[in-house]
Amino acid sequence: MKINNNSITKVSQQNKDNVNSVKTPKTVQKQINELPNVYYKPSFGRSWAEHKSWGAVIDPETKEASFKIFTYTDTKKVEVLVRKRGNKKVQKVYELKNKGNGVFETGSKIPAGEVENGDTYSFVLYKGNGEKDIIKDPYSFRQEKLLDESVIYDHSLYKWQDDEWYKSNPNRISRRANSENGLSSVKSARIYEFNTATFTKRGTFDGAKSKLKEIAQEGFNAIELMPVENTYSFNWGYDGVDKMAPAEHLGGPDALKSLIDYAHSLGLNVIMDMVPNHIGPDGSSLKRTGPYLGNPNNFGDSFNYEGKDSRYVRDFMVNAALNWIDNYHCDGLRLDMTKFMGSDYTMKQIAAEINYHKPDTFLIAEDARSSISVNDNGDFWDNNDEPHDKRVINPLKQYESAEGEPEQTHIDAIEKISNGNTSLGRLGFDSEWDFNFYHILKDALYQDVDMDALEKACYCAQDRVKYVMSHDEIGNHEGTRLIAKLMVPMLHLNENMINTENVNRDAQFAAEKLAMMLQTGKLDKYDTSEITSRRWINVVEKAFKNEVLIPLGINPNSGITYNSVKSMFNDSFERNKMAMARIFSIPGQKMVFQGDETADLTPFRFFREFESIKNEDALHLEKGYDTGKPAFMESKLGSVEYSPKARQKMARFKNLIKDLNKLNQTNPSLYKGTLIPENTVKHDVSQVFATHSADIESGNETFTVTNFKNFNYPSEHAESYYIKFPKGKWVEILNTDSKRYDGSGNFNNVYPINSDGYNSSPIKLSNESTIIFKRIG
């Protein structure tokens, strides 16, 4: 068994076959005894009733109530104070029973009617040091006021309307999908990611709900909500503090359920983005509640997943994940920056328990680790050539528990290693965000094409979520969209910014402003294409320098004109189309961020508001803008008034996204197929790259050609472009240069290509374009 040098536990293959026979070496047992809460048997063994017992629970049948909390192990006593809504007087006081190890819970159930939906409550902790503290519930399902009492929320009162969604609906994505159950595979996911607060002007769950029909009509089959965990105020969502409670300023629990219910009625799967790696800076009482938190990491206070008294902290995060699946009917979860959890053990526990209790649920990790290979047995080793940590989406083995013990989850033996890290051969996720593919594609978009790297990235991306841009690539870098980013080198803005201390950043803002002015019609008065008088051309160009370039901090002698701005915008627009078609041509999951389906220029800035962080000067200096309310309002879709010409151009870009979604839906080679390595084409000089994808089961095959270079075929230099197709008869089914997508329409291949599989065939090929061909014979 290959494991890294840090591993201190080794389990034989024979023992893996029988979970009851797993023996722990004496040297390892000593380590385990020192960390008693870290080691588990080969089963986590948690029942569904145990999962559902935490916090304030109203029994859906009897309406009896119960309370349960994990606190410091030396806590002497815990009480619950319950008030009727709107009544400041404490109505009831319940003392919880000490179950040991910091767990306190109701003894017998509280009779129906004593505690009801809408009542408010707090826990009173009598700690070992004599301190008395009143705290909110870490398991709060509703938190109307951030640091005030929690609210009793009876999940059973919402009447779901999505029964049909769970009756073998072919649109439903499941990690167990097969030909017998008729469900869709994880690889078929076509995801639309959005931030609820900025997706609409209303910025609420109800506002987002009003846009779902349009998303479904565009051909997406899944939506991904950026985190909605309750926070102090507006922010991206990654600083949530109430892990079970949707943010009240977004609409609260019922509004979120209504959104998800409606999504299912439209055939849309729902992926919830959750944050297991840290807690936000405002509104958390976890430090006062128990040993929930560890040392700070890159984002804030981390969770104590593997330190002293950590067992129930891990259980807490598993329960948070199950909350979104069970109480909110989410079909999948995306876990934010899992590598900063500092606990692969917890990742595995989350996957194992979800896969056991909710086996259809699919899991996506944002992990970003690399250089680990793994085989089918879960053995792994360092591999510097591997662009991903392959343990992340190495599936857990099914049904490894002993027969007759249904509560044992199917995971293989668990190893505990030193230095606060866990080394496990299988982490059990179904997919992950593909940072590597993004960076390779980004370089290609800037015409720095590494054909070998691109080929490898495409093959590795087949089981991962691919995207041209996500919220991170936009918001963490000036908040500008791809078109503006690409315009910077095209217009040589870095070399032509004046009076600036941060050239790269200010060049991005200048490009964004130029693109925005063009698309809103504010630059139209500087168009000289229909002016014949040289004198008037000079007048207009001088006005452009004085009224546009100089206010934006651009050197007026840069040579930038209205015509060059328009030309570079159109060039960026074409590259954007080219990139979208390229990612949609690779089998596996695809994702588009809000607004990118129409090449919208609305920025997505980094924004946040905290009570504890009053002085944001350093952050403002870094970002170049006010990261408070101004950035928040500026990021709302629908805030830009586009010209009629721009709206037409954006509608044509949307046509491309619709057609790409439809092609993925109707061509199995584009989602569950496999890239055929021997038919990859890499032409370094001409920067033409092509991939062949085939689905053996259906016989469907596609061949995708991407021209990264600004060179047309035919042109005065070459009549056609010659490229070797796989054997067969091929027809063009999508061309990003089509007029339907605001292209020229001059480079469509109207006749089939007949290939013997050996000789190259001539095709028409527009500059910076992608063409998808389908085999018909």
Side-chain angles (χ1 to χ4, degrees):
M1 181 178 181
K2 294 179 180 177
I3 55 178
N4 68 20
N5 294 331
N6 289 328
S7 180
I8 63 169
T9 304
K10 192 172 185 179
V11 180
S12 69
Q13 185 60 49
Q14 289 79 12
N15 284 341
K16 284 184 179 181
D17 295 336
N18 182 350
V19 295
N20 291 324
S21 68
V22 173
K23 304 296 183 183
T24 307
K26 291 181 179 179
T27 55
V28 177
Q29 187 62 56
K30 184 176 183 296
Q31 300 270 0
I32 290 168
N33 291 338
E34 293 173 358
L35 295 165
N37 290 320
V38 174
Y39 182 79
Y40 273 71
K41 296 175 183 178
S43 160
F44 290 106
R46 298 178 66 207
S47 70
W48 185 242
E50 199 278 338
H51 281 294
K52 299 285 286 183
S53 66
W54 291 89
V57 180
I58 302 292
D59 188 291
E61 302 296 331
T62 67
K63 299 303 176 183
E64 295 173 311
S66 63
F67 294 94
K68 186 176 180 180
I69 188 174
F70 167 61
T71 181
Y72 289 104
T73 56
D74 64 349
T75 298
K76 303 300 183 184
K77 186 172 72 169
V78 176
E79 294 175 336
V80 182
L81 311 181
V82 180
R83 295 179 174 86
K84 292 298 178 182
R85 177 179 287 275
N87 190 338
K88 294 184 178 180
K89 183 179 178 181
V90 174
Q91 300 295 308
K92 295 285 183 179
V93 179
Y94 301 95
E95 183 174 344
L96 303 186
K97 294 186 179 299
N98 188 343
K99 306 297 289 186
N101 297 317
V103 177
F104 289 78
E105 64 180 356
T106 309
S108 56
K109 292 285 185 73
I110 298 170
E114 283 193 28
V115 176
E116 298 177 296
N117 184 70
D119 291 350
T120 60
Y121 68 103
S122 301
F123 287 103
V124 184
L125 310 180
Y126 295 85
K127 298 180 180 178
N129 60 4
E131 178 187 350
K132 174 183 174 182
D133 200 359
I134 301 177
I135 58 155
K136 65 180 180 179
D137 185 0
Y139 277 87
S140 176
F141 292 123
R142 183 161 197 179
Q143 195 66 39
E144 292 178 340
K145 296 180 180 179
L146 200 64
L147 276 172
D148 207 339
E149 299 168 305
S150 301
V151 179
I152 302 287
Y153 182 77
D154 183 354
H155 278 288
S156 68
L157 294 180
Y158 181 88
K159 303 305 177 185
W160 288 92
Q161 305 298 313
D162 62 354
D163 287 350
E164 291 300 317
W165 180 248
Y166 294 100
K167 294 179 180 178
S168 297
N169 190 315
N171 292 316
R172 189 159 67 93
I173 296 172
S174 167
R175 63 183 303 272
R176 297 193 303 170
N178 56 49
S179 57
E180 294 181 4
N181 59 34
L183 300 175
S184 294
S185 70
V186 177
K187 292 186 72 169
S188 72
R190 304 182 300 278
I191 304 167
Y192 188 95
E193 183 197 17
F194 66 82
N195 170 264
T196 302
T198 57
F199 187 39
T200 63
K201 288 184 177 180
R202 278 190 279 174
T204 61
F205 295 133
D206 286 342
K209 181 180 174 181
S210 69
K211 298 273 286 184
L212 294 187
K213 189 172 183 180
E214 185 178 347
I215 294 172
Q217 289 172 341
E218 289 164 3
F220 293 97
N221 65 357
I223 56 173
E224 180 178 311
L225 284 70
M226 288 175 65
V228 300
E229 300 166 6
N230 198 38
T231 62
Y232 168 72
S233 184
F234 57 82
N235 61 68
W236 279 13
Y238 294 98
D239 286 304
V241 291
D242 297 307
K243 292 294 180 180
M244 319 281 173
E248 287 294 315
H249 66 266
L250 299 178
D254 283 356
L256 176 58
K257 289 181 178 181
S258 179
L259 182 154
I260 294 170
D261 221 352
Y262 185 55
H264 286 166
S265 75
L266 297 171
L268 291 170
N269 293 267
V270 178
I271 303 167
M272 180 60 70
D273 196 344
M274 61 175 289
V275 188
N277 54 58
H278 79 289
I279 200 83
D282 284 342
S284 170
S285 58
L286 287 181
K287 282 185 178 178
R288 292 156 48 202
T289 305
Y292 287 87
L293 301 182
N295 295 321
N297 61 21
N298 292 38
F299 308 112
D301 286 333
S302 67
F303 287 93
N304 171 34
Y305 289 130
E306 296 188 14
K308 184 181 178 183
D309 301 325
S310 58
R311 173 197 165 176
Y312 291 107
V313 181
R314 293 190 297 276
D315 290 356
F316 170 74
M317 195 54 67
V318 174
N319 290 340
L322 285 167
N323 170 61
W324 300 119
I325 301 164
D326 183 55
N327 292 324
Y328 289 91
H329 290 202
C330 290
D331 306 283
L333 298 177
R334 183 258 194 194
L335 274 65
D336 179 64
M337 271 298 172
T338 50
K339 73 175 181 179
F340 287 109
M341 290 171 65
S343 177
D344 287 355
Y345 187 89
T346 307
M347 286 183 68
K348 188 164 189 171
Q349 181 176 346
I350 290 171
E353 297 202 42
I354 288 175
N355 292 346
Y356 179 71
H357 290 292
K358 296 289 183 178
D360 286 313
T361 306
F362 56 98
L363 299 175
I364 301 171
E366 183 193 28
D367 198 78
R369 286 178 291 187
S370 61
S371 301
I372 295 291
S373 289
V374 65
N375 64 20
D376 289 340
N377 291 325
D379 308 331
F380 62 94
W381 58 96
D382 290 336
N383 179 357
N384 291 329
D385 294 328
E386 176 54 54
H388 304 93
D389 183 340
K390 285 196 170 181
R391 297 172 305 150
V392 176
I393 59 172
N394 188 247
L396 293 172
K397 289 184 177 180
Q398 296 286 330
Y399 311 116
E400 292 184 348
S401 59
E403 186 177 353
E405 298 182 29
E407 297 304 338
Q408 285 191 323
T409 55
H410 45 268
I411 80 170
D412 39 334
I414 295 167
E415 303 116 356
K416 171 66 193 146
I417 67 169
S418 59
N419 300 323
N421 295 311
T422 310
S423 176
L424 302 166
R426 298 173 187 272
L427 300 186
F429 285 68
D430 301 287
S431 183
E432 67 173 311
W433 276 27
D434 200 334
F435 288 104
N436 178 69
F437 180 82
Y438 161 75
H439 287 293
I440 299 298
L441 180 63
K442 181 191 74 172
D443 290 343
L445 287 173
Y446 286 99
Q447 297 192 326
D448 181 15
V449 187
D450 183 333
M451 289 291 177
D452 292 337
L454 182 59
E455 178 186 21
K456 185 170 185 177
C458 287
Y459 288 109
C460 290
Q462 293 179 90
D463 292 307
R464 293 174 170 84
V465 178
K466 300 163 286 294
Y467 47 86
V468 177
M469 300 283 277
S470 76
H471 67 271
D472 275 331
E473 286 74 33
I474 300 169
N476 285 336
H477 303 279
E478 296 82 35
T480 58
R481 301 280 180 155
L482 178 62
I483 286 177
K485 294 181 190 298
L486 291 173
M487 288 175 66
V488 171
M490 292 179 183
L491 293 170
H492 303 288
L493 285 174
N494 279 335
E495 298 88 340
N496 284 295
M497 299 304 297
I498 56 176
N499 301 324
T500 178
E501 295 181 0
N502 193 323
V503 172
N504 293 333
R505 184 192 68 198
D506 292 344
Q508 294 283 352
F509 291 144
E512 178 184 67
K513 190 65 175 178
L514 287 171
M516 200 82 76
M517 294 173 73
L518 182 72
Q519 287 292 82
T520 54
K522 293 178 181 177
L523 293 187
D524 288 353
K525 63 182 179 179
Y526 305 107
D527 184 0
T528 60
S529 59
E530 296 184 7
I531 300 177
T532 57
S533 168
R534 182 68 249 178
R535 176 187 173 190
W536 280 110
I537 290 176
N538 291 339
V539 170
V540 173
E541 289 182 346
K542 183 177 181 180
F544 181 80
K545 292 178 180 180
N546 292 330
E547 297 168 10
V548 177
L549 298 184
I550 292 176
L552 292 178
I554 302 172
N555 184 353
N557 298 317
S558 61
I560 297 173
T561 64
Y562 167 85
N563 289 334
S564 65
V565 170
K566 182 178 179 181
S567 175
M568 295 304 98
F569 177 90
N570 289 335
D571 197 2
S572 298
F573 191 84
E574 294 303 313
R575 290 193 199 180
N576 202 350
K577 293 191 299 178
M578 172 188 74
M580 284 291 188
R582 171 40 65 186
I583 68 164
F584 272 82
S585 72
I586 303 169
Q589 309 88 310
K590 293 91 178 174
M591 186 180 75
V592 174
F593 182 65
Q594 65 180 42
D596 280 350
E597 78 280 12
T598 60
D600 199 312
L601 292 171
T602 304
F604 186 69
R605 309 283 192 226
F606 181 82
F607 55 84
R608 68 184 191 184
E609 182 179 63
F610 294 139
E611 183 178 47
S612 60
I613 304 175
K614 297 296 186 183
N615 190 343
E616 293 274 48
D617 290 347
L619 183 61
H620 296 174
L621 185 63
E622 173 196 338
K623 297 294 184 182
Y625 54 80
D626 186 338
T627 54
K629 193 167 184 178
F632 171 51
M633 297 305 295
E634 193 179 9
S635 300
K636 283 182 174 285
L637 282 184
S639 58
V640 179
E641 294 293 332
Y642 291 102
S643 69
K645 279 192 304 183
R647 287 196 296 270
Q648 184 182 61
K649 196 175 186 73
M650 293 166 72
R652 289 172 178 168
F653 194 96
K654 184 189 283 191
N655 286 340
L656 173 65
I657 301 302
K658 285 182 179 179
D659 290 352
L660 287 170
N661 274 323
K662 186 175 181 180
L663 285 182
N664 268 256
Q665 187 176 10
T666 55
N667 289 275
S669 63
L670 294 177
Y671 66 89
K672 67 185 182 76
T674 303
L675 292 177
I676 310 301
E678 56 266 29
N679 291 330
T680 298
V681 176
K682 298 180 291 183
H683 293 170
D684 291 286
V685 175
S686 57
Q687 294 187 355
V688 172
F689 178 77
T691 52
H692 174 212
S693 181
D695 176 56
I696 297 175
E697 183 180 5
S698 65
N700 180 254
E701 296 181 50
T702 48
F703 186 67
T704 304
V705 182
T706 299
N707 178 13
F708 287 100
K709 204 168 187 178
N710 192 5
F711 201 86
N712 294 320
Y713 307 89
S715 67
E716 60 184 36
H717 300 291
E719 182 62 28
S720 300
Y721 191 83
Y722 282 81
I723 190 167
K724 188 173 77 171
F725 279 72
K727 186 177 180 180
K729 185 177 183 179
W730 300 85
V731 294
E732 179 181 295
I733 57 174
L734 185 139
N735 190 329
T736 59
D737 186 57
S738 168
K739 287 185 178 180
R740 174 171 166 78
Y741 314 134
D742 203 59
S744 71
N746 297 325
F747 298 90
N748 295 90
N749 294 277
V750 296
Y751 300 108
I753 284 85
N754 290 287
S755 172
D756 59 10
Y758 297 101
N759 297 300
S760 295
S761 302
I763 62 171
K764 291 183 176 182
L765 185 60
S766 175
N767 65 333
E768 298 171 331
S769 69
T770 293
I771 306 175
I772 302 177
F773 295 89
K774 179 179 179 179
R775 183 178 175 181
I776 60 170

